[in-house]
Amino acid sequence: MIYVTGDIHGGCTMNNIVEWEEGKNLTHDDYLVIAGDFGIPWEFSITEDDLIYWIESRPWTTLFVDGNHERFSWWKDQPIEEWHGGRVQRLSKYSRIRRLMRGEVFDFDGTTLFTMGGATSVDREWRIEGYSWWPEELPSEKEIKYARGMLDSVYWEVDYVVTHTCASDLLSKTLYPYSGWQSPDTDRLTNFFNELESKLDFRRWYYGHFHIDRNIDHRHTALMDAIVPLGEGIPLGYSMER
């Protein structure tokens, strides 16, 4: 089984995972995909080492797409390997925690998953470049071109999509009724996702970033605390106190 959830911010917002009863019955062949802002590694502390040990000791295997709050300067030096048909990086040499890289199409026993991490930090003006913010948070034109090539190779047809942000045309719908929903900022990534919305054949698209749990429509689900099986939306009546 594959499950999807939202941002954990280096362990700051993961009570949902700690309290996940269903996860106790999973195995290493089951996966939990985090839709960005994994945030590990970040501070390289003993506390963070304990958190990594806890995640590694879970029955399932943890996967993530990058968000905007990742230590990109560290990840750029990590080895890349192929796994389930796409490129990944591991947290360490033998780690079961894997970063699903940008623009990849993964095949899990016939179920295909397109991944494209990254987003723009709305709080970047209060962060320090190279310490708490990196320009690599937003995919380059080269990475977007690579993603188009991968989608060409599968004739623009996948089962599911996991990203951190969403298409420009979905921003207002996602943010409503919160502040800024009438004229949200767009960028080259959200505009690229507009292209995907018009060309890509998919069943459901999951994303984090906006700190909400909501089925935006019948094919798009924004996640924060909810943990849902791949292919399903948030159940009716779902609630989670943070």
Side-chain angles (χ1 to χ4, degrees):
M1 285 287 291
I2 302 175
Y3 297 82
V4 192
T5 191
D7 321 13
I8 70 168
H9 301 113
C12 294
T13 53
M14 57 179 289
N15 283 343
N16 57 332
I17 299 174
V18 172
E19 299 169 3
W20 188 29
E21 287 297 321
E22 190 170 356
K24 296 176 182 178
N25 301 316
L26 303 183
T27 72
H28 291 181
D29 294 325
D30 297 305
Y31 305 103
L32 176 63
V33 184
I34 295 167
D37 279 3
F38 184 61
I40 303 170
W42 191 263
E43 58 186 25
F44 305 102
S45 66
I46 293 175
T47 299
E48 185 174 81
D49 288 343
D50 290 342
L51 174 62
I52 292 169
Y53 176 82
W54 186 88
I55 296 173
E56 291 276 17
S57 69
R58 297 307 90 193
W60 65 83
T61 296
T62 300
L63 313 174
F64 73 97
V65 301
D66 49 276
N68 47 297
H69 296 151
E70 315 286 357
R71 189 167 283 278
F72 291 101
S73 56
W74 184 87
W75 282 105
K76 73 177 183 179
D77 294 326
Q78 302 313 302
I80 296 172
E81 59 187 81
E82 186 170 318
W83 184 76
H84 283 275
R87 298 176 307 151
V88 300
Q89 292 175 302
R90 297 195 194 207
L91 193 61
S92 60
K93 186 174 182 179
Y94 300 108
S95 177
R96 289 190 294 111
I97 299 174
R98 291 178 171 90
R99 175 193 181 194
L100 305 178
M101 297 188 71
R102 294 171 173 177
E104 297 295 332
V105 177
F106 296 91
D107 189 322
F108 295 93
D109 298 322
T111 297
T112 51
L113 178 67
F114 173 74
T115 60
M116 189 74 179
T120 295
S121 293
V122 297
D123 61 350
R124 60 191 178 275
E125 64 182 289
W126 295 287
R127 292 176 175 266
I128 301 170
E129 184 171 350
Y131 177 76
S132 58
W133 176 83
W134 291 265
E136 293 89 348
E137 67 178 19
L138 198 61
S140 65
E141 291 292 352
K142 182 178 179 180
E143 288 175 308
I144 291 173
K145 182 179 179 180
Y146 175 87
R148 288 194 185 99
M150 290 302 299
L151 292 174
D152 283 343
S153 72
V154 294
Y155 305 101
W156 288 77
E157 182 177 352
V158 297
D159 292 311
Y160 303 105
V161 178
V162 178
T163 61
H164 187 52
T165 188
C166 65
S168 298
D169 289 349
L170 277 179
L171 287 169
S172 291
K173 200 173 185 180
T174 301
L175 290 167
Y176 180 82
Y178 303 106
S179 175
W181 72 271
Q182 292 175 312
S183 55
D185 292 335
T186 62
D187 53 46
R188 61 175 171 267
L189 181 59
T190 63
N191 290 335
F192 171 58
F193 288 162
N194 263 5
E195 178 184 341
L196 266 61
E197 293 284 1
S198 64
K199 294 175 60 176
L200 185 62
D201 184 3
F202 65 94
R203 298 182 189 179
R204 186 176 286 273
W205 186 323
Y206 301 91
Y207 52 95
H209 193 42
F210 299 100
H211 297 189
I212 60 171
D213 291 298
R214 186 188 305 158
N215 295 318
I216 306 304
D217 56 35
H218 71 287
R219 292 206 304 169
H220 298 85
T221 297
L223 294 169
M224 179 60 183
D225 293 315
I227 302 174
V228 300
L230 189 69
E232 298 183 17
I234 297 169
L236 187 66
Y238 168 85
S239 65
M240 173 84 183
E241 290 187 7
R242 280 186 276 161

